[in-house]
């Protein structure tokens, strides 16, 4: 056995040292050095993006997401914890009131203390509204950078170690390539370090939960996923996948009821710990919950590439139906869309099926749930990036149109330069020499045809140029946004259908003829 293992390792080293493999110089020092090098570069890229403008810069009276995050820091360090979600003379909820779960509030509190120590004027009650200064920007940017370094980066390391420990023949260059794609996700960097948000925290907890499940630590996964859900309620996009996979595993064990009870206790315990300051009365719990479901905003805002917004060109949902009817309709559509994926995992749970389930579940929410934002595309993009080694062509295609779907938003934030730079960087990493899987299994070329694929890609690049250089007709001021939205929506539907089919095909033998055509 030892001798065979040595031969396998030497084969792997030779494979990694291939002249056509650009990663060999990086991976020869081991996993720790490889990850540290890529992480340092990814951190510097984040610093470079953070030097650019942010959401709502110099745009009163409400500015943008940057001001929202700063205001939450102001509120949490100046008011008692019971008043953070309560409308009052000192906390006007109409001005960027807290609308995320308590873990986000605690994060704002910790970061608020940091800002108050170095720059008290930036978080002083009342007088700091709309505060903009060079030092304030540096400190705010540092709160996101530190969150990335402390939560998202370790979670990615945990995932790649677990994921590439499954096979002794996994090439080290594959690990390096996958790590680079995860840490240099252009959409996440642009939203968190350009636009300004803290998605790295909730997504980091989710990656940690996924890695825990892949390593068989289901109880740890429950805690980490609950932390993600308690940081941003949009993490519920992944709930059907976690629920169905864990339930499917429990039903196959000796004492299924006991296994389900153990998971339930960990979930309840985590929620109780996070919500403890608000458990003293039903009223206080409802105060927080009422802030987490913004139904008053309508079924969609702006031009998001989901079903409701895309179809609203023909069907005026907001005029035809009441909010209550739309809530029920969107809930039904979401459940129907994610049900096939859930059934597959309950019937035959597997680690690979779980990753596909995460993608299908999150896409179901993105396409059909109530009040989706452009930035929510980060959620289905996460499992797609985790599956990058399994589905490279799907990931590349999805990333391209995820970027395009956010292009109008990033243009408003004056982030065109980092957008183009990160898109170019992603392309260079993705097509790095030595990644044979990238050139194989190109499902989009197989199903759509090479000519159609090139036509769609060319059209998407033309849309970038048109949006930057031309003005829409006065009668249709949002024509370009509508076109971008519908193009992206059509591709997201295509990816969703493909990933659902692939999840159900996991247990079926692959036809040799198909494999030959894909090469």
């Amino acid at each position: 056995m030892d001798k065979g293992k040595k031969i396998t390792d030497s084969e792997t080293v030779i494979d990694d040292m291939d002249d056509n493999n650009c990663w060999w110089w990086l991976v020869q020092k081991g996993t720790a050095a490889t990850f540290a090098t890529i992480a340092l570069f990814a951190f510097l890229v984040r610093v470079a993006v953070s030097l650019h403008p942010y959401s709502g810069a110099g745009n009163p009276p409400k500015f943008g997401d940057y001001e929202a995050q700063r205001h939450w820091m102001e509120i949490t360090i100046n008011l008692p914890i019971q008043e953070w979600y309560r409308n009052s003379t000192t906390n006007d909820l109409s001005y960027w009131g807290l609308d995320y779960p308590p873990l986000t509030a605690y994060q704002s509190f910790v970061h608020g203390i940091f800002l108050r120590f170095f720059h008290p004027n930036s978080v002083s009650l009342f007088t700091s509204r709309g505060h903009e200064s060079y030092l304030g920007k540096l400190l705010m940017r540092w709160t996101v950078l530190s969150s990335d370094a402390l939560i998202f980066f370790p979670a990615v390391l945990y995932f790649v170690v677990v994921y590439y420990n499954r096979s002794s023949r996994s090439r080290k260059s594959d690990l390096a390539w996958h790590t680079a794609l995860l840490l240099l996700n252009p959409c996440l960097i642009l939203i968190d370090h350009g636009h300004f948000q803290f998605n790295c925290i909730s997504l980091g907890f989710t990656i940690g939960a996924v890695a825990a499940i892949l390593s068989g630590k289901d109880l740890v996964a429950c805690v980490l996923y609950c932390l993600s859900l308690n940081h941003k309620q949009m993490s519920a996009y992944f709930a059907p996948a976690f629920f169905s996979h864990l339930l499917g595993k429990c039903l196959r064990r000796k004492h299924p009821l006991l296994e389900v009870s153990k998971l339930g206790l960990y979930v309840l315990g985590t929620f109780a710990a996070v919500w403890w300051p608000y458990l003293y009365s039903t009223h206080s719990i409802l105060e927080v919950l009422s802030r987490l479901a913004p139904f008053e905003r309508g079924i969609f805002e702006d031009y998001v590439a989901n079903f409701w917004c895309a179809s609203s060109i023909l069907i005026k949902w907001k005029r035809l139906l009441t909010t209550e009817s739309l809530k029920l309709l969107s809930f039904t559509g979401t459940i129907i869309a994610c049900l096939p994926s859930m059934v597959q995992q309950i019937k035959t749970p597997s680690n690979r099926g779980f990753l596909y389930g995460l993608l299908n579940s999150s896409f179901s929410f993105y396409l059909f749930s109530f009040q989706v934002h452009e930035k929510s595309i980060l959620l289905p993009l996460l499992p797609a990036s985790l599956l990058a080694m399994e589905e490279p062509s799907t990931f590349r295609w999805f990333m391209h149109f995820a970027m395009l779907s956010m292009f109008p938003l990033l243009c408003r934030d004056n982030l065109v330069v980092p957008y183009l730079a990160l898109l170019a960087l992603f392309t260079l990493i993705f097509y790095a020499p030595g990644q044979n899987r990238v050139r194989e299994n190109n499902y989009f070329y197989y199903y759509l045809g090479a000519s159609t694929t090139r036509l769609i890609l060319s059209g998407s690049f033309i849309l970038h140029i048109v949006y930057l250089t031309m003005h829409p007709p006065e009668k249709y001021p949002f024509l370009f946004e509508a076109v971008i939205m519908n193009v992206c929506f059509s591709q997201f539907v295509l990816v969703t259908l493909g990933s659902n089919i692939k999840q159900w095909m996991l247990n079926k033998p692959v036809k040799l003829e198909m494999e030959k055509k894909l090469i």
Side-chain angles (χ1 to χ4, degrees), residues 141-175:
R141 291 298 198 188
W142 180 250
T143 61
V144 189
L145 288 166
S146 59
S147 298
D148 235 335
L150 294 174
I151 297 177
F152 189 79
F153 282 41
V156 170
L157 176 60
Y158 183 21
F159 172 79
V160 294
V161 168
V162 170
Y163 188 81
Y164 287 94
N165 193 39
R166 297 180 303 169
S167 172
S168 61
R169 294 185 65 86
S170 291
R171 300 195 311 167
K172 292 180 181 179
S173 60
D174 289 343
L175 184 150

Side-chain angles (χ1 to χ4, degrees), residues 222-275:
C222 282
V223 173
L224 291 174
Y225 176 63
C226 287
L227 291 176
S228 175
L229 195 56
N230 277 287
H231 184 263
K232 284 202 170 184
Q233 62 268 39
M234 283 82 74
S235 294
Y237 284 28
F238 304 120
F242 276 95
F243 173 80
S244 57
H245 178 76
L246 291 173
L247 178 60
K249 289 174 70 174
C250 289
L251 292 177
R252 278 152 186 78
R253 290 173 179 164
K254 188 174 181 181
H255 304 289
L257 186 59
L258 177 61
E259 296 295 333
V260 171
S261 300
K262 284 164 58 179
L263 295 175
L265 286 174
Y266 271 76
V267 169
L268 291 174
T270 306
F271 268 83
V274 174
W275 285 70

Side-chain angles (χ1 to χ4, degrees), residues 26-27 29-39 157 161 175:
L26 180 62
V27 302
K29 297 296 184 180
T31 300
T34 300
F35 183 86
T37 304
I38 297 173
L157 176 60
V161 168
L175 184 150

Side-chain angles (χ1 to χ4, degrees), residues 109-159:
F109 176 76
V110 172
H111 289 155
I113 293 175
F114 171 74
L115 259 70
R116 184 169 60 184
F117 181 81
F118 290 100
H119 192 21
N121 292 338
S122 65
V123 285
S124 60
L125 192 62
F126 301 130
T127 59
S128 63
R129 281 197 179 186
H131 177 88
E132 291 184 305
S133 66
Y134 182 71
L135 178 57
K137 176 185 175 181
L138 290 180
L139 295 173
M140 288 285 285
R141 291 298 198 188
W142 180 250
T143 61
V144 189
L145 288 166
S146 59
S147 298
D148 235 335
L150 294 174
I151 297 177
F152 189 79
F153 282 41
V156 170
L157 176 60
Y158 183 21
F159 172 79

